[in-house]
Amino acid sequence: MRNLLVLLWLALLAGGVQAQTGQFTIEGRVTYAASYNLGRWEGSNTSVRGTVRWNPQTGEASGQVCVELGRFDSGNPLRDADARGVFDVNKFPLSCLDLERLTQTGEDAVLLGTLEISGTRRPVRIAGKLTREGSAYRFVGGFNTSFSEWRLTPPSLLFLRVNDPVEVRLEARATLR
């Protein structure tokens, strides 16, 4: 009888944890900041979309958030065309993040997952802030990366080459479904 009560208690506990997991629709923007010896610029892309499941109590997360690589806008059409070539958007139109974990301490948050860019998959850690907005959440965070990490050749023009690192920022709104 005692074993049955323990199993029942564990089942209720597991059900309570499962009930805390929510499914969210993700929309947002990704921005990069890059530089070369004569200057610096930014490009942004508002095609961030996805669906994730997240349990705030355990930090467990799953799902995928993608961005259309051909939709970055730096304000310079030639530079944007070069970026589409670097990413090989005809072969790899999307870059996707497979979420694994999102932990939060106060407003500080760390998102862990596997990011794929142009056929190369790598673990990423995105540190930022997570704030609650009613039943939704807003995440703002970023990380630094380099072209070589993704097996990409940095764009260049004559003697100018884009420098590493490239700063990547993610702003996303997660709405409970």
Side-chain angles (χ1 to χ4, degrees), residues 94-153:
L94 297 176
S95 174
C96 295
L97 173 66
D98 293 321
L99 270 68
E100 297 163 10
R101 190 159 200 76
L102 174 60
T103 54
Q104 182 179 18
T105 305
E107 286 189 359
D108 293 333
V110 175
L111 192 153
L112 300 174
T114 300
L115 179 62
E116 181 172 351
I117 300 176
S118 301
T120 299
R121 293 176 54 83
R122 294 187 43 81
V124 292
R125 180 185 187 277
I126 305 173
K129 302 284 184 190
L130 183 67
T131 54
R132 186 128 194 196
E133 298 177 346
S135 63
Y137 289 89
R138 177 176 160 77
F139 178 83
V140 177
F143 65 99
N144 289 343
T145 192
S146 65
F147 288 96
S148 62
E149 287 182 273
W150 304 99
R151 298 185 184 130
L152 300 173
T153 303

Side-chain angles (χ1 to χ4, degrees), residues 39-128:
R40 181 176 171 85
W41 75 95
E42 289 189 357
S44 65
N45 185 327
T46 58
S47 70
V48 174
R49 302 283 183 273
T51 303
V52 301
R53 295 182 65 79
W54 177 53
N55 183 322
Q57 282 75 33
T58 66
E60 291 179 54
S62 62
Q64 191 174 70
V65 178
C66 297
V67 63
E68 297 174 41
L69 289 172
R71 294 204 28 211
F72 277 98
D73 182 2
S74 69
N76 181 322
L78 293 175
R79 182 169 43 225
D80 297 338
D82 282 347
R84 289 189 294 275
V86 168
F87 289 130
D88 194 5
V89 297
N90 291 329
K91 186 174 179 183
F92 304 104
L94 297 176
S95 174
C96 295
L97 173 66
D98 293 321
L99 270 68
E100 297 163 10
R101 190 159 200 76
L102 174 60
T103 54
Q104 182 179 18
T105 305
E107 286 189 359
D108 293 333
V110 175
L111 192 153
L112 300 174
T114 300
L115 179 62
E116 181 172 351
I117 300 176
S118 301
T120 299
R121 293 176 54 83
R122 294 187 43 81
V124 292
R125 180 185 187 277
I126 305 173

Side-chain angles (χ1 to χ4, degrees), residues 11-38:
L12 288 172
L13 181 62
V17 170
Q18 183 69 9
Q20 300 301 320
T21 300
Q23 187 164 351
F24 296 86
T25 300
I26 309 296
E27 293 183 335
R29 166 193 311 264
V30 65
T31 304
Y32 71 86
S35 66
Y36 59 101
N37 292 343
L38 300 176

